[in-house]
Amino acid sequence: MAMLEIEGLNAWYGASHVLHGISLAIAPGEIVALVGRNGAGKTTTIRSAMGLMPKATGSVRFAGTELLALPAHARFRMGLAYVPEDRRIVPGLSVRENLQLGLVATDGSIDERRAIDEIAESFPRLKERLDQEGVTLSGGEQQMLAIARAMIAKPKMILLDEPSEGIMPVLVEEMGTLFRRLRDTGVTLLLVEQNVEWALRLADHAVIIDQGEVVHRSTAAALLADKAMQDRYCAV
Ligand code: ATP
C-alpha cells in the first residue's frame, strides 16, 4: 500500500483553479522529488496533502486513510509532517523552545526532554545552540531547525518545500546525508525542489508538475539522465 496516494486532486485559491487532477503515489520509505518550474503547483500540491488549502477536491490517502476532510492537525497526528518554505522559526524563542513546538500538537505521550536530547544528537549544530534564539541562526541552521522540529514527533512522512533554497553547499550536503539516513529508518519523504540535480540524486522516484498537472513520472535516475525533459519542464 502507498504511504501517500493522491488521486484526481484539484485545488483553488479563491476563483483561481491551480491544480487540475494531480495523481501520484509514494511508497513507504522512499524519497520522491516533486519538481517543475516556478508557479507549476508544487507548493499547492503539498499544502493540499497537509490540509492547508481553502478548497481542494479529489482524494489524498495516507497509509490507506482518506485525509481530504481532515484538518491539518489531525493529519499531523496521523504521522504526516510539513516543513514550509519559509521555515517559520518563531522569534523570541530559543532553539529548544522552537523544537518543543514540534510536540505541541501531539497526544502528550512523548517525553519532551528525551525527544530533544535525541534530536540534538542528529543535529550537532543545533545541539551547540539549544539556548540561543532560533532566529539568530544562519539560514541553513534555521532550515535544519525547521526539519528537526518536524522530525521530533517521529512522523511517518515529511513533506518538505524547497529545503535547500538559499543554503550554503556544505549544509545542503549535510541535509542530503540526513535525508538518506531518515529514509534508511523507514521515513517517507516528499521533496519539492528547485535544486533539481541534487533532489534527483537523493530521490528514488521523480514527478514533474507543469501548469497544475503531472506531466512526467519516472525513477529519479531516469530523469537525471534526461536533460531534455529537465530543460523542458524544470528550467527556471
Ligand atoms: P514556486 O516554486 O514558485 O513556489 P510552485 O510550483 O510551488 O512554485 P505554487 O506556489 O503551488 O507553485 O503556485 C501554483 C499557482 O498558484 C501559481 O499560478 C501561483 O501564482 C498561484 N498561487 C500560489 N499562491 C497563491 C495565493 N496565495 N493566492 C493566489 N494564487 C496563488
Side-chain angles (χ1 to χ4, degrees), residues 54-147:
K55 184 175 175 198
T57 64
S59 171
V60 175
R61 279 188 300 276
F62 183 60
T65 302
E66 178 58 52
L67 294 185
L68 213 67
L70 299 178
H73 64 86
R75 300 182 197 207
F76 171 78
R77 281 203 176 178
M78 292 173 68
L80 186 60
Y82 171 52
V83 181
E85 193 177 357
D86 62 9
R87 299 164 196 163
R88 315 240 173 104
I89 304 308
V90 180
L93 297 188
S94 66
V95 168
R96 183 191 305 279
E97 289 163 339
N98 270 284
L99 289 171
Q100 285 166 347
L101 290 180
L103 295 169
V104 165
T106 60
D107 61 8
S109 64
I110 298 174
D111 180 303
E112 192 172 286
R113 186 179 296 256
R114 188 183 309 155
I116 289 178
D117 285 350
E118 267 179 37
I119 203 83
E121 288 310 314
S122 303
F123 293 89
R125 286 165 194 273
L126 300 182
K127 189 178 178 182
E128 291 163 16
R129 298 171 174 81
L130 282 174
D131 297 311
Q132 188 174 324
E133 190 181 349
V135 292
T136 66
L137 300 179
S138 74
E141 288 160 357
Q142 288 190 40
Q143 185 62 266
M144 290 298 198
L145 176 54
I147 295 168

Side-chain angles (χ1 to χ4, degrees), residues 13 18 37-44 162 194:
Y13 289 103
V18 297
R37 54 174 77 84
N38 285 338
K42 306 179 298 294
T43 297
T44 306
E162 300 198 20
Q194 296 284 349

Side-chain angles (χ1 to χ4, degrees), residues 15 34 49 79-80 117 155 161 170 207 215 219 236:
L34 182 60
L80 186 60
D117 285 350
D161 200 350
V170 59
V207 175
V215 292
T219 61
V236 181

